[in-house]
Amino acid sequence: MYQIAFLFLACILVGFALLKVKAVGILVGLAAFLEIVGVLVILIFSVALLYLGFRTLFSRSW
């Protein structure tokens, strides 16, 4: 269970890294795409992490 939570946290950090990517030269067109992907990754894995937290909280198995 904790391994999945750490994986989700790592994915959220990757999303923030994608937001900070500086595009140079040919990759300028990818900058907007990477920003959108970064925001989506952050949102999706944050919601998944919240779901895991609430599921653990209310399952009484911890």
Side-chain angles (χ1 to χ4, degrees):
M1 176 68 112
Y2 293 116
Q3 295 166 344
I4 294 173
F6 287 130
L7 177 65
F8 288 170
L9 283 173
C11 291
I12 292 170
L13 289 176
V14 168
F16 280 112
L18 284 174
L19 288 177
K20 297 296 181 181
V21 169
K22 301 289 186 211
V24 180
I26 298 172
L27 299 176
V28 172
L30 284 177
F33 174 73
L34 291 177
E35 188 173 331
I36 291 170
V37 170
V39 169
L40 288 176
V41 165
I42 292 168
L43 290 175
I44 289 169
F45 286 103
S46 294
V47 170
L49 201 56
L50 282 171
Y51 170 73
L52 281 178
F54 283 129
R55 191 176 75 179
T56 303
L57 182 65
F58 293 120
S59 70
R60 298 179 197 238
S61 65
W62 53 283

